[in-house]
Amino acid sequence: MPDLLQIGGITDEMRERLEEAFTIHQIDDFDAEAITHVITNGHDGVSPDLMAKLTNLKAISGYGVGYDAVDAEEAARRGILVTHTPNVLNEEVATTAVLLMLACYRELLRDDAHVRSGNWEARGGAPLTRSADNQTIGIVGLGRIGQAIADKLAPWTPTIVYHTRTQKDVAYRYYDNLVEMAQACDTLICITPGGQATEKLINADVIAALGPQGTLINVSRGSVVDEAAMISALQNGTLGWAGLDVFAQEPKVPQALRDLPNTVLLPHVGSATHETRAAMGALTVDNLLQHLKDGTVLTPVPECAHL
Ligand code: NDP
């Protein structure tokens, strides 16, 4: 049976299917020349050093849609097919974005703490919060998930605007200038890919433009936001609130961010439900099995689509 290198965790269902077709090796015990396939996740990816060592590697199946932890252009040059899991997680990640946004607007964590601490009974009701209705919401990255977020927000009757590198064929207002868009928005929701092209796209100027009444939601990658600039803006009140699923140095989250009352923090769980992880896992395995069958894959990343 061909040799598969497993990087990161997989579910029992994935393992059962994979064991029928591959010998699975763990990262601390494998013969580099024997490995023909890799399964990995969006966080660990495949390092350039490892890719260079795996001289017989034919396919990398990514358990996630974001593949910034794999150099897909280099893989394509080496003739290695890289796959990911687009679409099957759109709705779940959109739910996570909406959840973070609503938790910020309605001070969910503060009010939950108010009840648990006994302060409701001891001191009376909680202060008022902001309505999430009728807000101007800027989506940074209107791709598969960005569109799902826009759709999922519809009951809150927002005005949706967006920023991407290329204008899309949609009815929402397009901004090619992110600072201008931030100025016009109550909330920015960031859902671009990670990697160099989006490094600190949400910089100090964008954060300042969003302003003291503004809310920043990040469900993309921690690298997309200038984390230090965001923390100081949240501390000094020049940014109102932040709802974050992703961080610059996961799983490390700066103490300053954890101490702030105007943040809602999640441990990168955008797609992490049983249902969605099952669908992602099935597609991740399907890509590998398809490759064994006839050398093709179901969902290659764009850089490898020509292979
Ligand atoms: P898509 O490729 O469908 O969409 C990406 C969007 O970002 C496009 O609209 C693209 O438009 C835009 N974009 C890309 N680069 C830039 C840039 N430099 N500046 C501005 N906009 C840019 O991807 P998905 O919607 O499927 O996924 C998006 C990302 O979400 C993933 O790559 C991943 O990082 C993240 N994600 C996070 C999860 C979590 O658990 N928190 C789970 C799943 C995904 P254009 O090319 O015109 O610029």
Side-chain angles (χ1 to χ4, degrees):
M1 284 205 285
D3 292 279
L4 171 77
L5 176 62
Q6 178 194 333
I7 303 174
I10 58 175
T11 63
D12 292 344
E13 290 76 12
M14 292 165 77
R15 179 175 308 284
E16 273 166 33
R17 289 183 66 206
L18 287 170
E19 277 173 348
E20 286 174 18
F22 292 96
T23 304
I24 304 178
H25 301 270
Q26 301 303 314
I27 193 73
D28 53 359
D29 179 24
F30 66 95
D31 169 6
E33 284 182 11
I35 299 295
T36 53
H37 294 76
V38 167
I39 186 166
T40 187
N41 58 51
H43 185 260
D44 296 305
V46 177
S47 71
D49 279 359
L50 180 59
M51 199 187 292
K53 274 187 207 144
L54 302 176
T55 49
N56 289 308
L57 185 60
K58 295 184 173 61
I60 298 170
S61 185
Y63 180 28
V65 70
Y67 56 96
D68 44 303
V70 175
D71 184 343
E73 281 175 12
E74 176 59 18
R77 265 195 295 279
R78 291 173 182 267
I80 301 166
L81 267 163
V82 179
T83 67
H84 64 156
T85 62
N87 293 317
V88 293
L89 41 57
N90 293 353
E91 294 305 321
E92 212 64 70
V93 183
T95 295
T96 305
V98 175
L99 177 73
L100 284 169
M101 189 188 107
L102 296 179
C104 286
Y105 269 84
R106 296 299 305 272
E107 301 282 4
L108 182 74
L109 302 185
R110 184 200 71 188
D111 284 0
D112 179 89
H114 190 70
V115 176
R116 287 174 199 277
S117 66
N119 278 345
W120 186 15
E121 193 181 348
R123 299 185 187 171
L128 300 182
T129 61
R130 304 174 297 152
S131 175
D133 290 354
N134 307 317
Q135 300 295 290
T136 299
I137 299 176
I139 300 187
V140 186
L142 193 75
R144 291 173 291 252
I145 302 172
Q147 183 62 60
I149 293 171
D151 294 344
K152 202 152 268 199
L153 283 169
W156 286 274
T157 56
T159 300
I160 300 280
V161 300
Y162 74 102
H163 168 78
T164 47
R165 291 167 301 181
T166 52
Q167 191 166 357
K168 314 294 171 199
D169 184 18
V170 290
Y172 317 125
R173 175 164 178 188
Y174 172 67
Y175 284 88
D176 61 1
N177 183 310
L178 190 47
V179 172
E180 274 173 31
M181 182 167 94
Q183 256 154 6
C185 283
D186 302 298
T187 288
L188 277 192
I189 301 182
C190 191
I191 184 65
T192 63
Q196 273 178 2
T198 54
E199 175 95 29
K200 296 190 178 153
L201 183 66
I202 309 293
N203 60 23
D205 292 343
V206 176
I207 291 167
L210 188 54
Q213 292 304 312
T215 303
L216 176 63
I217 305 299
N218 188 11
V219 285
S220 60
R221 288 287 184 263
S223 59
V224 182
V225 173
D226 182 337
E227 199 168 77
M230 175 184 67
I231 290 171
S232 58
L234 286 163
Q235 283 171 330
N236 62 31
T238 51
L239 174 65
W241 295 263
L244 309 168
D245 184 44
V246 288
F247 303 89
Q249 304 288 334
E250 293 172 11
K252 289 191 171 61
V253 177
Q255 189 62 44
L257 208 44
R258 289 148 64 185
D259 289 342
L260 282 163
N262 47 348
T263 58
V264 179
L265 311 175
L266 295 178
H268 201 148
V269 290
S271 64
T273 62
H274 292 294
E275 295 83 351
T276 295
R277 285 292 166 84
M280 290 164 62
L283 181 52
T284 310
V285 173
D286 287 348
N287 270 311
L288 287 165
L289 298 182
Q290 177 81 21
H291 190 262
L292 273 192
K293 202 166 102 193
D294 64 7
T296 68
V297 292
L298 300 169
T299 48
V301 302
E303 291 85 342
C304 296
H306 63 284
L307 293 177

